[in-house]
Amino acid sequence: MIDSRNLEDCQQRIRQGDRAALAQAMTLIESKLPAHRALSAQLLDRLMPHTGNAKRLGITGTPGAGKSTFLEAFGGTLIAHGHRVAVIAVDPSSPISGGSILGDKNRMLNLSRSDQAFIRPVPSSCHLGGISPRTRELILLCEAANYDVVIVETVGVGQSETEVAEMVDCFISLQIAGAGDDLQGIKKGIMEMADLVIINKDDGDNHGNVEIARHMYHSALQIIRRKYPVWQPQVLTCSALKKRGINEVWQAVLAFWQVMSASGQLTTLRQQQSLGWVRRQIEENALTTLFARPDVQLHYQRLEHMLLSKQLSPRACVNDITDFITHKIFN
Ligand code: GDP
């Protein structure tokens, strides 16, 4: 257990690649106890100078698209190239599914056995369909522990895809073809977010379906407004099961990285992401602090009652509580 006395030691162990220390630090970061929050902040402050050096990738896809099979193959290829890979698997549906979508212990079994890999399943601890804001800090911890490729994996549920896209450099959408799945990914929003679209299961009888889907995604991407002027999103195909097309995905990630770095777009993106995160956290903390005040709580309870008995419109309720809080702060 990390405490203020062994913080220095923990920091060093993380830097030296001690996976147990990294896992403990992640548990600390995820903790909601006020004492842990202060300790987390101290630990992150110490580790900050060692962050930012990884390629941050996001990967999403429906359950069954082949994410864990792909990550096994992809992670294995990266390790063979001399990289160190961390996977943060976030299950936004865990309050409903009990963590069954990403929580299966047998996922990525080979990758989890490698010394050069670290896998962390993260149940959703917050609002439904969203991922924990702490996930961004878990990425920083992985970077401080010298993982040079950090992958955040999630299923396409609710807000989770947008939230992952807001914390990574390269956002990958894993799709499958055939059996009516062809157009699944051409939903508004996902295509706009994707830097790479990968159609998996390009093997056996499925090759024809994959080719049709590839053309569809390619056409769709041509008409969507580009996320970055310097990068045209690409469509690739692979078979995670047969480990085909995996190196090509990595080459596409490297091409994206090169273009984004050279243009200065990567620096801008990370700065915007960092500032956006800070802003959201401040708003969340400010609200939590305000609603913890007994006078605000009491007033809000009264308003709730009036709202439910239709004496007050929702808009009037919002205006009233906003005025009440503003008055309390500034008078
Ligand atoms: P996840 O839910 O997205 O993590 O999907 P899994 O990786 O667990 O894969 C779901 C199923 O699809 C499993 O039965 C895999 O063996 C299978 N699968 C994954 N990738 C491929 C592939 O490239 N080709 C084929 N034929 N099956 C695959």
Side-chain angles (χ1 to χ4, degrees), residues 61-71 101-102 104 107-108 153 155 174 176 199-204 206 238-244:
T62 49
K67 293 179 296 302
S68 61
T69 313
F70 174 80
L71 287 174
I101 293 182
L102 294 179
D104 182 354
R107 299 179 90 242
M108 298 175 247
E153 176 203 7
V155 281
L174 193 74
I176 39 175
I199 307 164
N200 189 29
K201 308 197 184 184
D202 186 4
D203 47 47
N206 207 28
C238 76
S239 168
L241 198 65
K242 308 271 181 207
K243 297 188 169 52
R244 283 199 305 251

PDB file of all heavy atoms in Angstrom, residues 61-71 101-102 104 107-108 153 155 174 176 199-204 206 238-244, ligand 1:
ATOM      1  N   GLY A  61     -14.471  -0.802 -30.535  1.00  0.00           N
ATOM      2  CA  GLY A  61     -15.181  -1.713 -31.425  1.00  0.00           C
ATOM      3  C   GLY A  61     -16.247  -2.421 -30.620  1.00  0.00           C
ATOM      4  O   GLY A  61     -16.144  -2.503 -29.387  1.00  0.00           O
ATOM      5  N   THR A  62     -17.248  -2.918 -31.299  1.00  0.00           N
ATOM      6  CA  THR A  62     -18.330  -3.603 -30.589  1.00  0.00           C
ATOM      7  C   THR A  62     -17.794  -4.899 -29.961  1.00  0.00           C
ATOM      8  O   THR A  62     -16.778  -5.428 -30.424  1.00  0.00           O
ATOM      9  CB  THR A  62     -19.470  -3.965 -31.565  1.00  0.00           C
ATOM     10  OG1 THR A  62     -18.873  -4.597 -32.697  1.00  0.00           O
ATOM     11  CG2 THR A  62     -20.247  -2.755 -32.006  1.00  0.00           C
ATOM     12  N   PRO A  63     -18.478  -5.424 -28.941  1.00  0.00           N
ATOM     13  CA  PRO A  63     -18.047  -6.713 -28.382  1.00  0.00           C
ATOM     14  C   PRO A  63     -18.065  -7.761 -29.506  1.00  0.00           C
ATOM     15  O   PRO A  63     -19.006  -7.808 -30.287  1.00  0.00           O
ATOM     16  CB  PRO A  63     -19.131  -7.030 -27.331  1.00  0.00           C
ATOM     17  CG  PRO A  63     -19.728  -5.702 -26.980  1.00  0.00           C
ATOM     18  CD  PRO A  63     -19.635  -4.864 -28.220  1.00  0.00           C
ATOM     19  N   GLY A  64     -17.004  -8.524 -29.602  1.00  0.00           N
ATOM     20  CA  GLY A  64     -16.923  -9.550 -30.638  1.00  0.00           C
ATOM     21  C   GLY A  64     -16.218  -9.096 -31.908  1.00  0.00           C
ATOM     22  O   GLY A  64     -15.954  -9.909 -32.800  1.00  0.00           O
ATOM     23  N   ALA A  65     -15.897  -7.806 -31.997  1.00  0.00           N
ATOM     24  CA  ALA A  65     -15.209  -7.306 -33.200  1.00  0.00           C
ATOM     25  C   ALA A  65     -13.795  -7.879 -33.289  1.00  0.00           C
ATOM     26  O   ALA A  65     -13.188  -7.903 -34.362  1.00  0.00           O
ATOM     27  CB  ALA A  65     -15.156  -5.785 -33.192  1.00  0.00           C
ATOM     28  N   GLY A  66     -13.274  -8.318 -32.155  1.00  0.00           N
ATOM     29  CA  GLY A  66     -11.943  -8.929 -32.148  1.00  0.00           C
ATOM     30  C   GLY A  66     -10.887  -8.058 -31.492  1.00  0.00           C
ATOM     31  O   GLY A  66      -9.691  -8.216 -31.768  1.00  0.00           O
ATOM     32  N   LYS A  67     -11.303  -7.177 -30.599  1.00  0.00           N
ATOM     33  CA  LYS A  67     -10.346  -6.244 -29.976  1.00  0.00           C
ATOM     34  C   LYS A  67      -9.245  -6.974 -29.221  1.00  0.00           C
ATOM     35  O   LYS A  67      -8.077  -6.672 -29.380  1.00  0.00           O
ATOM     36  CB  LYS A  67     -11.072  -5.272 -29.019  1.00  0.00           C
ATOM     37  CG  LYS A  67     -12.006  -4.314 -29.713  1.00  0.00           C
ATOM     38  CD  LYS A  67     -12.705  -3.399 -28.737  1.00  0.00           C
ATOM     39  CE  LYS A  67     -13.621  -4.131 -27.785  1.00  0.00           C
ATOM     40  NZ  LYS A  67     -14.680  -4.920 -28.423  1.00  0.00           N
ATOM     41  N   SER A  68      -9.644  -7.943 -28.382  1.00  0.00           N
ATOM     42  CA  SER A  68      -8.595  -8.577 -27.571  1.00  0.00           C
ATOM     43  C   SER A  68      -7.700  -9.454 -28.442  1.00  0.00           C
ATOM     44  O   SER A  68      -6.488  -9.507 -28.231  1.00  0.00           O
ATOM     45  CB  SER A  68      -9.181  -9.354 -26.396  1.00  0.00           C
ATOM     46  OG  SER A  68     -10.016 -10.365 -26.834  1.00  0.00           O
ATOM     47  N   THR A  69      -8.282 -10.119 -29.452  1.00  0.00           N
ATOM     48  CA  THR A  69      -7.462 -10.923 -30.371  1.00  0.00           C
ATOM     49  C   THR A  69      -6.502 -10.005 -31.123  1.00  0.00           C
ATOM     50  O   THR A  69      -5.319 -10.309 -31.294  1.00  0.00           O
ATOM     51  CB  THR A  69      -8.373 -11.674 -31.377  1.00  0.00           C
ATOM     52  OG1 THR A  69      -9.443 -12.287 -30.655  1.00  0.00           O
ATOM     53  CG2 THR A  69      -7.602 -12.722 -32.140  1.00  0.00           C
ATOM     54  N   PHE A  70      -7.034  -8.855 -31.548  1.00  0.00           N
ATOM     55  CA  PHE A  70      -6.187  -7.886 -32.268  1.00  0.00           C
ATOM     56  C   PHE A  70      -5.066  -7.375 -31.363  1.00  0.00           C
ATOM     57  O   PHE A  70      -3.902  -7.305 -31.773  1.00  0.00           O
ATOM     58  CB  PHE A  70      -7.045  -6.714 -32.776  1.00  0.00           C
ATOM     59  CG  PHE A  70      -6.227  -5.617 -33.389  1.00  0.00           C
ATOM     60  CD1 PHE A  70      -5.752  -5.729 -34.690  1.00  0.00           C
ATOM     61  CD2 PHE A  70      -5.888  -4.482 -32.657  1.00  0.00           C
ATOM     62  CE1 PHE A  70      -4.967  -4.733 -35.257  1.00  0.00           C
ATOM     63  CE2 PHE A  70      -5.102  -3.482 -33.209  1.00  0.00           C
ATOM     64  CZ  PHE A  70      -4.640  -3.606 -34.518  1.00  0.00           C
ATOM     65  N   LEU A  71      -5.417  -7.037 -30.128  1.00  0.00           N
ATOM     66  CA  LEU A  71      -4.397  -6.480 -29.220  1.00  0.00           C
ATOM     67  C   LEU A  71      -3.323  -7.502 -28.876  1.00  0.00           C
ATOM     68  O   LEU A  71      -2.161  -7.148 -28.685  1.00  0.00           O
ATOM     69  CB  LEU A  71      -5.060  -5.908 -27.962  1.00  0.00           C
ATOM     70  CG  LEU A  71      -5.815  -4.592 -28.205  1.00  0.00           C
ATOM     71  CD1 LEU A  71      -6.581  -4.157 -26.959  1.00  0.00           C
ATOM     72  CD2 LEU A  71      -4.853  -3.482 -28.641  1.00  0.00           C
ATOM     73  N   ILE A 101     -17.899  -7.539 -20.355  1.00  0.00           N
ATOM     74  CA  ILE A 101     -17.484  -7.239 -21.728  1.00  0.00           C
ATOM     75  C   ILE A 101     -15.964  -7.205 -21.862  1.00  0.00           C
ATOM     76  O   ILE A 101     -15.385  -7.783 -22.760  1.00  0.00           O
ATOM     77  CB  ILE A 101     -18.119  -5.912 -22.220  1.00  0.00           C
ATOM     78  CG1 ILE A 101     -19.629  -6.114 -22.345  1.00  0.00           C
ATOM     79  CG2 ILE A 101     -17.543  -5.504 -23.573  1.00  0.00           C
ATOM     80  CD1 ILE A 101     -20.388  -4.922 -22.860  1.00  0.00           C
ATOM     81  N   LEU A 102     -15.303  -6.532 -20.956  1.00  0.00           N
ATOM     82  CA  LEU A 102     -13.841  -6.462 -21.039  1.00  0.00           C
ATOM     83  C   LEU A 102     -13.148  -7.147 -19.856  1.00  0.00           C
ATOM     84  O   LEU A 102     -11.947  -7.258 -19.842  1.00  0.00           O
ATOM     85  CB  LEU A 102     -13.376  -5.000 -21.099  1.00  0.00           C
ATOM     86  CG  LEU A 102     -13.755  -4.168 -22.331  1.00  0.00           C
ATOM     87  CD1 LEU A 102     -13.226  -2.754 -22.187  1.00  0.00           C
ATOM     88  CD2 LEU A 102     -13.211  -4.772 -23.602  1.00  0.00           C
ATOM     89  N   ASP A 104     -13.080 -10.197 -18.707  1.00  0.00           N
ATOM     90  CA  ASP A 104     -12.702 -11.602 -18.756  1.00  0.00           C
ATOM     91  C   ASP A 104     -11.192 -11.771 -18.561  1.00  0.00           C
ATOM     92  O   ASP A 104     -10.396 -11.225 -19.305  1.00  0.00           O
ATOM     93  CB  ASP A 104     -13.134 -12.140 -20.138  1.00  0.00           C
ATOM     94  CG  ASP A 104     -12.838 -13.618 -20.294  1.00  0.00           C
ATOM     95  OD1 ASP A 104     -12.211 -14.183 -19.385  1.00  0.00           O
ATOM     96  OD2 ASP A 104     -13.237 -14.169 -21.319  1.00  0.00           O
ATOM     97  N   ARG A 107      -8.680 -12.755 -21.412  1.00  0.00           N
ATOM     98  CA  ARG A 107      -8.382 -11.880 -22.545  1.00  0.00           C
ATOM     99  C   ARG A 107      -6.873 -11.586 -22.585  1.00  0.00           C
ATOM    100  O   ARG A 107      -6.265 -11.390 -21.550  1.00  0.00           O
ATOM    101  CB  ARG A 107      -9.152 -10.562 -22.422  1.00  0.00           C
ATOM    102  CG  ARG A 107     -10.650 -10.732 -22.417  1.00  0.00           C
ATOM    103  CD  ARG A 107     -11.346  -9.411 -22.281  1.00  0.00           C
ATOM    104  NE  ARG A 107     -11.606  -8.822 -23.584  1.00  0.00           N
ATOM    105  CZ  ARG A 107     -11.100  -7.684 -23.983  1.00  0.00           C
ATOM    106  NH1 ARG A 107     -10.277  -7.018 -23.221  1.00  0.00           N
ATOM    107  NH2 ARG A 107     -11.401  -7.198 -25.162  1.00  0.00           N
ATOM    108  N   MET A 108      -6.322 -11.572 -23.744  1.00  0.00           N
ATOM    109  CA  MET A 108      -4.924 -11.193 -23.969  1.00  0.00           C
ATOM    110  C   MET A 108      -3.959 -11.956 -23.060  1.00  0.00           C
ATOM    111  O   MET A 108      -3.053 -11.386 -22.467  1.00  0.00           O
ATOM    112  CB  MET A 108      -4.746  -9.683 -23.759  1.00  0.00           C
ATOM    113  CG  MET A 108      -5.544  -8.849 -24.707  1.00  0.00           C
ATOM    114  SD  MET A 108      -5.400  -7.098 -24.313  1.00  0.00           S
ATOM    115  CE  MET A 108      -7.051  -6.721 -23.775  1.00  0.00           C
ATOM    116  N   GLU A 153      -8.338   0.762 -24.544  1.00  0.00           N
ATOM    117  CA  GLU A 153      -9.331  -0.027 -25.270  1.00  0.00           C
ATOM    118  C   GLU A 153     -10.705   0.174 -24.633  1.00  0.00           C
ATOM    119  O   GLU A 153     -10.827   0.214 -23.418  1.00  0.00           O
ATOM    120  CB  GLU A 153      -8.948  -1.509 -25.167  1.00  0.00           C
ATOM    121  CG  GLU A 153      -9.961  -2.434 -25.809  1.00  0.00           C
ATOM    122  CD  GLU A 153      -9.907  -3.861 -25.260  1.00  0.00           C
ATOM    123  OE1 GLU A 153      -9.183  -4.122 -24.284  1.00  0.00           O
ATOM    124  OE2 GLU A 153     -10.621  -4.700 -25.804  1.00  0.00           O
ATOM    125  N   VAL A 155     -15.269  -0.466 -25.392  1.00  0.00           N
ATOM    126  CA  VAL A 155     -16.341  -0.883 -26.304  1.00  0.00           C
ATOM    127  C   VAL A 155     -17.139   0.351 -26.700  1.00  0.00           C
ATOM    128  O   VAL A 155     -17.166   1.337 -25.973  1.00  0.00           O
ATOM    129  CB  VAL A 155     -17.282  -1.929 -25.659  1.00  0.00           C
ATOM    130  CG1 VAL A 155     -16.662  -3.279 -25.692  1.00  0.00           C
ATOM    131  CG2 VAL A 155     -17.661  -1.539 -24.276  1.00  0.00           C
ATOM    132  N   LEU A 174     -12.109  -0.383 -34.743  1.00  0.00           N
ATOM    133  CA  LEU A 174     -12.021  -1.756 -35.260  1.00  0.00           C
ATOM    134  C   LEU A 174     -13.419  -2.214 -35.667  1.00  0.00           C
ATOM    135  O   LEU A 174     -14.349  -2.168 -34.865  1.00  0.00           O
ATOM    136  CB  LEU A 174     -11.458  -2.689 -34.175  1.00  0.00           C
ATOM    137  CG  LEU A 174     -11.029  -4.068 -34.648  1.00  0.00           C
ATOM    138  CD1 LEU A 174      -9.729  -3.990 -35.435  1.00  0.00           C
ATOM    139  CD2 LEU A 174     -10.834  -5.021 -33.471  1.00  0.00           C
ATOM    140  N   ILE A 176     -16.017  -4.965 -38.183  1.00  0.00           N
ATOM    141  CA  ILE A 176     -16.107  -6.253 -38.879  1.00  0.00           C
ATOM    142  C   ILE A 176     -17.061  -6.108 -40.051  1.00  0.00           C
ATOM    143  O   ILE A 176     -17.873  -5.186 -40.082  1.00  0.00           O
ATOM    144  CB  ILE A 176     -16.547  -7.415 -37.949  1.00  0.00           C
ATOM    145  CG1 ILE A 176     -17.612  -6.946 -36.962  1.00  0.00           C
ATOM    146  CG2 ILE A 176     -15.365  -8.020 -37.239  1.00  0.00           C
ATOM    147  CD1 ILE A 176     -18.178  -8.049 -36.104  1.00  0.00           C
ATOM    148  N   ILE A 199     -10.663  -3.043 -40.581  1.00  0.00           N
ATOM    149  CA  ILE A 199     -11.688  -4.085 -40.706  1.00  0.00           C
ATOM    150  C   ILE A 199     -11.016  -5.421 -40.421  1.00  0.00           C
ATOM    151  O   ILE A 199     -10.104  -5.841 -41.137  1.00  0.00           O
ATOM    152  CB  ILE A 199     -12.334  -4.062 -42.102  1.00  0.00           C
ATOM    153  CG1 ILE A 199     -12.837  -2.638 -42.386  1.00  0.00           C
ATOM    154  CG2 ILE A 199     -13.500  -5.043 -42.161  1.00  0.00           C
ATOM    155  CD1 ILE A 199     -13.135  -2.387 -43.836  1.00  0.00           C
ATOM    156  N   ASN A 200     -11.471  -6.030 -39.348  1.00  0.00           N
ATOM    157  CA  ASN A 200     -10.856  -7.278 -38.870  1.00  0.00           C
ATOM    158  C   ASN A 200     -11.564  -8.495 -39.495  1.00  0.00           C
ATOM    159  O   ASN A 200     -12.564  -8.350 -40.166  1.00  0.00           O
ATOM    160  CB  ASN A 200     -10.951  -7.304 -37.336  1.00  0.00           C
ATOM    161  CG  ASN A 200     -10.163  -8.446 -36.734  1.00  0.00           C
ATOM    162  OD1 ASN A 200      -9.157  -8.902 -37.300  1.00  0.00           O
ATOM    163  ND2 ASN A 200     -10.613  -8.944 -35.586  1.00  0.00           N
ATOM    164  N   LYS A 201     -11.009  -9.636 -39.251  1.00  0.00           N
ATOM    165  CA  LYS A 201     -11.543 -10.936 -39.695  1.00  0.00           C
ATOM    166  C   LYS A 201     -11.492 -11.065 -41.222  1.00  0.00           C
ATOM    167  O   LYS A 201     -12.411 -11.586 -41.843  1.00  0.00           O
ATOM    168  CB  LYS A 201     -12.966 -11.170 -39.157  1.00  0.00           C
ATOM    169  CG  LYS A 201     -13.066 -10.978 -37.637  1.00  0.00           C
ATOM    170  CD  LYS A 201     -14.289 -11.581 -37.019  1.00  0.00           C
ATOM    171  CE  LYS A 201     -14.365 -11.264 -35.527  1.00  0.00           C
ATOM    172  NZ  LYS A 201     -15.446 -11.850 -34.802  1.00  0.00           N
ATOM    173  N   ASP A 202     -10.400 -10.557 -41.788  1.00  0.00           N
ATOM    174  CA  ASP A 202     -10.195 -10.709 -43.228  1.00  0.00           C
ATOM    175  C   ASP A 202      -9.547 -12.073 -43.467  1.00  0.00           C
ATOM    176  O   ASP A 202      -8.340 -12.180 -43.714  1.00  0.00           O
ATOM    177  CB  ASP A 202      -9.291  -9.563 -43.741  1.00  0.00           C
ATOM    178  CG  ASP A 202      -9.159  -9.585 -45.254  1.00  0.00           C
ATOM    179  OD1 ASP A 202      -9.826 -10.421 -45.898  1.00  0.00           O
ATOM    180  OD2 ASP A 202      -8.402  -8.755 -45.789  1.00  0.00           O
ATOM    181  N   ASP A 203     -10.333 -13.105 -43.334  1.00  0.00           N
ATOM    182  CA  ASP A 203      -9.813 -14.463 -43.537  1.00  0.00           C
ATOM    183  C   ASP A 203     -10.952 -15.388 -43.978  1.00  0.00           C
ATOM    184  O   ASP A 203     -12.122 -15.007 -43.939  1.00  0.00           O
ATOM    185  CB  ASP A 203      -9.139 -15.000 -42.254  1.00  0.00           C
ATOM    186  CG  ASP A 203      -9.976 -14.764 -41.009  1.00  0.00           C
ATOM    187  OD1 ASP A 203     -11.185 -15.055 -41.036  1.00  0.00           O
ATOM    188  OD2 ASP A 203      -9.428 -14.269 -40.001  1.00  0.00           O
ATOM    189  N   GLY A 204     -10.578 -16.559 -44.413  1.00  0.00           N
ATOM    190  CA  GLY A 204     -11.569 -17.565 -44.850  1.00  0.00           C
ATOM    191  C   GLY A 204     -12.506 -17.016 -45.912  1.00  0.00           C
ATOM    192  O   GLY A 204     -12.094 -16.279 -46.816  1.00  0.00           O
ATOM    193  N   ASN A 206     -14.597 -14.781 -45.626  1.00  0.00           N
ATOM    194  CA  ASN A 206     -15.036 -13.408 -45.329  1.00  0.00           C
ATOM    195  C   ASN A 206     -14.350 -12.340 -46.185  1.00  0.00           C
ATOM    196  O   ASN A 206     -14.721 -11.172 -46.100  1.00  0.00           O
ATOM    197  CB  ASN A 206     -14.785 -13.122 -43.834  1.00  0.00           C
ATOM    198  CG  ASN A 206     -15.740 -12.091 -43.275  1.00  0.00           C
ATOM    199  OD1 ASN A 206     -16.862 -11.952 -43.770  1.00  0.00           O
ATOM    200  ND2 ASN A 206     -15.293 -11.350 -42.282  1.00  0.00           N
ATOM    201  N   CYS A 238      -7.335  -6.536 -41.742  1.00  0.00           N
ATOM    202  CA  CYS A 238      -6.403  -7.480 -41.111  1.00  0.00           C
ATOM    203  C   CYS A 238      -7.148  -8.732 -40.644  1.00  0.00           C
ATOM    204  O   CYS A 238      -8.384  -8.752 -40.609  1.00  0.00           O
ATOM    205  CB  CYS A 238      -5.702  -6.831 -39.906  1.00  0.00           C
ATOM    206  SG  CYS A 238      -6.717  -6.676 -38.438  1.00  0.00           S
ATOM    207  N   SER A 239      -6.380  -9.734 -40.324  1.00  0.00           N
ATOM    208  CA  SER A 239      -6.932 -10.890 -39.630  1.00  0.00           C
ATOM    209  C   SER A 239      -6.149 -11.025 -38.330  1.00  0.00           C
ATOM    210  O   SER A 239      -4.983 -11.437 -38.341  1.00  0.00           O
ATOM    211  CB  SER A 239      -6.791 -12.169 -40.460  1.00  0.00           C
ATOM    212  OG  SER A 239      -7.088 -13.281 -39.630  1.00  0.00           O
ATOM    213  N   ALA A 240      -6.784 -10.643 -37.255  1.00  0.00           N
ATOM    214  CA  ALA A 240      -6.111 -10.728 -35.950  1.00  0.00           C
ATOM    215  C   ALA A 240      -5.829 -12.193 -35.616  1.00  0.00           C
ATOM    216  O   ALA A 240      -4.783 -12.535 -35.060  1.00  0.00           O
ATOM    217  CB  ALA A 240      -6.976 -10.076 -34.874  1.00  0.00           C
ATOM    218  N   LEU A 241      -6.772 -13.058 -36.023  1.00  0.00           N
ATOM    219  CA  LEU A 241      -6.649 -14.487 -35.715  1.00  0.00           C
ATOM    220  C   LEU A 241      -5.436 -15.097 -36.417  1.00  0.00           C
ATOM    221  O   LEU A 241      -4.669 -15.843 -35.824  1.00  0.00           O
ATOM    222  CB  LEU A 241      -7.937 -15.200 -36.157  1.00  0.00           C
ATOM    223  CG  LEU A 241      -8.201 -16.567 -35.568  1.00  0.00           C
ATOM    224  CD1 LEU A 241      -8.416 -16.472 -34.060  1.00  0.00           C
ATOM    225  CD2 LEU A 241      -9.423 -17.197 -36.230  1.00  0.00           C
ATOM    226  N   LYS A 242      -5.288 -14.745 -37.684  1.00  0.00           N
ATOM    227  CA  LYS A 242      -4.175 -15.298 -38.473  1.00  0.00           C
ATOM    228  C   LYS A 242      -2.934 -14.419 -38.396  1.00  0.00           C
ATOM    229  O   LYS A 242      -1.937 -14.691 -39.074  1.00  0.00           O
ATOM    230  CB  LYS A 242      -4.586 -15.425 -39.959  1.00  0.00           C
ATOM    231  CG  LYS A 242      -5.880 -16.179 -40.191  1.00  0.00           C
ATOM    232  CD  LYS A 242      -5.618 -17.646 -40.330  1.00  0.00           C
ATOM    233  CE  LYS A 242      -6.929 -18.395 -40.578  1.00  0.00           C
ATOM    234  NZ  LYS A 242      -6.912 -19.749 -40.131  1.00  0.00           N
ATOM    235  N   LYS A 243      -3.023 -13.336 -37.650  1.00  0.00           N
ATOM    236  CA  LYS A 243      -1.904 -12.386 -37.495  1.00  0.00           C
ATOM    237  C   LYS A 243      -1.436 -11.837 -38.846  1.00  0.00           C
ATOM    238  O   LYS A 243      -0.241 -11.693 -39.110  1.00  0.00           O
ATOM    239  CB  LYS A 243      -0.738 -13.035 -36.741  1.00  0.00           C
ATOM    240  CG  LYS A 243      -1.101 -13.436 -35.319  1.00  0.00           C
ATOM    241  CD  LYS A 243       0.112 -13.884 -34.554  1.00  0.00           C
ATOM    242  CE  LYS A 243      -0.102 -14.047 -33.075  1.00  0.00           C
ATOM    243  NZ  LYS A 243      -1.221 -14.861 -32.636  1.00  0.00           N
ATOM    244  N   ARG A 244      -2.403 -11.526 -39.700  1.00  0.00           N
ATOM    245  CA  ARG A 244      -2.073 -10.926 -40.995  1.00  0.00           C
ATOM    246  C   ARG A 244      -2.502  -9.462 -41.012  1.00  0.00           C
ATOM    247  O   ARG A 244      -3.567  -9.123 -40.490  1.00  0.00           O
ATOM    248  CB  ARG A 244      -2.809 -11.662 -42.121  1.00  0.00           C
ATOM    249  CG  ARG A 244      -2.175 -12.996 -42.483  1.00  0.00           C
ATOM    250  CD  ARG A 244      -2.631 -13.456 -43.872  1.00  0.00           C
ATOM    251  NE  ARG A 244      -4.077 -13.509 -43.984  1.00  0.00           N
ATOM    252  CZ  ARG A 244      -4.805 -14.624 -44.052  1.00  0.00           C
ATOM    253  NH1 ARG A 244      -4.211 -15.792 -43.990  1.00  0.00           N
ATOM    254  NH2 ARG A 244      -6.106 -14.559 -44.187  1.00  0.00           N
TER     255      ARG A 244
HETATM  256  P1  GDP B   1     -13.676  -8.483 -28.480  1.00  0.00           P
HETATM  257  O1  GDP B   1     -14.957  -8.735 -27.749  1.00  0.00           O
HETATM  258  O2  GDP B   1     -13.810  -7.326 -29.410  1.00  0.00           O
HETATM  259  O3  GDP B   1     -12.481  -8.378 -27.597  1.00  0.00           O
HETATM  260  O4  GDP B   1     -13.461  -9.749 -29.455  1.00  0.00           O
HETATM  261  P2  GDP B   1     -12.532 -11.048 -29.269  1.00  0.00           P
HETATM  262  O5  GDP B   1     -11.116 -10.731 -29.538  1.00  0.00           O
HETATM  263  O6  GDP B   1     -12.854 -11.706 -27.976  1.00  0.00           O
HETATM  264  O7  GDP B   1     -13.042 -11.935 -30.487  1.00  0.00           O
HETATM  265  C1  GDP B   1     -14.387 -12.371 -30.612  1.00  0.00           C
HETATM  266  C2  GDP B   1     -14.424 -13.624 -31.464  1.00  0.00           C
HETATM  267  O8  GDP B   1     -13.972 -13.319 -32.769  1.00  0.00           O
HETATM  268  C3  GDP B   1     -13.512 -14.712 -30.924  1.00  0.00           C
HETATM  269  O9  GDP B   1     -14.152 -15.944 -31.126  1.00  0.00           O
HETATM  270  C4  GDP B   1     -12.277 -14.608 -31.795  1.00  0.00           C
HETATM  271  O10 GDP B   1     -11.597 -15.821 -31.935  1.00  0.00           O
HETATM  272  C5  GDP B   1     -12.885 -14.169 -33.105  1.00  0.00           C
HETATM  273  N1  GDP B   1     -11.923 -13.405 -33.905  1.00  0.00           N
HETATM  274  C6  GDP B   1     -11.166 -12.352 -33.503  1.00  0.00           C
HETATM  275  N2  GDP B   1     -10.395 -11.923 -34.516  1.00  0.00           N
HETATM  276  C7  GDP B   1     -10.663 -12.719 -35.579  1.00  0.00           C
HETATM  277  C8  GDP B   1     -10.170 -12.783 -36.931  1.00  0.00           C
HETATM  278  O11 GDP B   1      -9.310 -12.022 -37.368  1.00  0.00           O
HETATM  279  N3  GDP B   1     -10.712 -13.731 -37.738  1.00  0.00           N
HETATM  280  C9  GDP B   1     -11.684 -14.579 -37.314  1.00  0.00           C
HETATM  281  N4  GDP B   1     -12.148 -15.476 -38.181  1.00  0.00           N
HETATM  282  N5  GDP B   1     -12.153 -14.568 -36.056  1.00  0.00           N
HETATM  283  C10 GDP B   1     -11.643 -13.649 -35.190  1.00  0.00           C
END
